[in-house]
Amino acid sequence: MLNFRVDGKLALVTGSSRGIGLAIATALADAGADIIAVSSKLEVTGSAVEQAVLASGKKFYAYQCDLSDRASVYAFIEKVKAEHPLIDILVNNAGHILRKPAAEHPDEFWDTIIDINLNAQFILAREFGRDMVARGTGKIIFTCSLLSFQGGINVPGYAASKGAISSLLKALANEWAGSGVNVNGVAPGYIATDNTEQLRADASRSAAILSRIPANRWGLPEDMAGAYVFLSSTAADYINGTIITVDGGWMGR
């Protein structure tokens, strides 16, 4: 039998206070991992992710980090490394989206999205990945997007960041696969989260989206969890630089 469990591993999951990140952290805990949860406004105690992890009988550690602020990112990394020297699994899941047509898309929108969705992701991967390479083992998973493959509408910064993440994870995989570190991604389809609230509230846009999804429904955060657990496990030891789409069939249409 292939081993899809991650018993005894420590997983760091960014953006884990709600939505897809919460589902990832919960699933990894169910599969045996202790969890470091990270979010800009994560409660120190009593959060939904803490309750879910503890219900699985696993250890839970909460951290706050503003991924749009470079100093905050480095301070977070220093603190985590001091308190948890061995991170087995890094899930770069945190992300943000700001909508405005390209001709009206302000610099501050662009800068915020690139800082959160790309710059912080690279810094985290580099700093924790360096330690994984030195140990000869580790798993890094990026949350990509359908806009890692497509352009989208009214989200040029988001599309640029997710397209870049697609190339970044391949670049890291090329360098680190030979050192026992697997770097891959998961691309969610249209999932019912805060990021898609505006789309779901627009009746015509929602209908257009659903018309292209063979599964004929919006995805749920829980639909994403299995792909992350798989890529975190030894069952995925020979998978490098790959993006798994979990989209109800959207990309096959």
Side-chain angles (χ1 to χ4, degrees):
M1 289 289 292
L2 294 174
N3 185 6
F4 292 93
R5 293 195 57 80
V6 288
D7 296 294
K9 303 297 184 182
L10 179 59
L12 189 160
V13 185
T14 67
S16 49
S17 64
R18 62 186 187 274
I20 292 172
L22 172 58
I24 296 167
T26 301
L28 286 172
D30 287 343
D34 296 322
I35 301 296
I36 295 174
V38 186
S39 180
S40 60
K41 298 178 182 178
L42 184 64
E43 300 95 326
V44 176
T45 60
S47 65
V49 63
E50 178 184 24
Q51 294 175 35
V53 171
L54 294 180
S56 294
K58 307 311 298 181
K59 296 177 182 177
F60 176 82
Y61 311 95
Y63 289 85
Q64 290 186 355
C65 180
D66 179 1
L67 295 178
S68 69
D69 181 79
R70 187 74 57 93
S72 176
V73 173
Y74 278 111
F76 162 71
I77 292 169
E78 182 178 3
K79 181 175 177 61
V80 170
K81 285 194 174 190
E83 297 176 355
H84 307 281
L86 199 160
I87 305 295
D88 300 290
I89 302 162
L90 169 64
V91 181
N92 264 330
N93 169 72
H96 192 42
I97 191 167
L98 293 171
R99 303 178 188 277
K100 193 173 280 288
E104 305 166 15
H105 212 77
D107 289 352
E108 55 267 28
F109 275 29
W110 178 273
D111 291 343
T112 296
I113 295 304
I114 297 300
D115 280 338
I116 295 172
N117 292 8
L118 180 59
N119 294 340
Q121 311 280 334
F122 171 64
I123 293 170
L124 291 170
R126 182 189 64 204
E127 296 302 310
F128 290 111
R130 180 187 296 123
D131 298 338
M132 294 177 181
V133 168
R135 294 195 306 269
T137 184
K139 307 282 188 179
I140 299 176
I141 306 162
F142 289 87
T143 294
C144 299
S145 168
L146 294 181
L147 300 196
S148 295
F149 314 102
Q150 302 172 326
I153 300 171
N154 297 331
V155 287
Y158 184 82
S161 70
K162 292 301 185 178
I165 286 295
S166 171
S167 292
L168 174 60
L169 72 86
K170 294 179 180 72
L172 297 179
N174 288 343
E175 294 191 32
W176 295 347
S179 298
V181 179
N182 300 86
V183 185
N184 293 289
V186 178
Y190 284 91
I191 310 299
T193 66
D194 292 348
N195 276 356
T196 60
E197 185 175 0
Q198 289 185 37
L199 294 179
R200 288 181 285 118
D202 183 331
S204 61
R205 186 83 170 94
S206 180
I209 289 169
L210 285 174
S211 71
R212 179 174 164 161
I213 301 174
N216 197 36
R217 68 175 176 87
W218 286 78
L220 301 174
E222 292 75 19
D223 291 321
M224 304 302 306
Y228 289 88
V229 173
F230 167 58
L231 291 175
S232 299
S233 74
T234 57
D237 279 353
Y238 199 59
I239 298 179
N240 300 278
T242 290
I243 300 173
I244 298 176
T245 55
V246 184
D247 61 359
W250 174 281
M251 288 299 295
R253 192 66 177 263

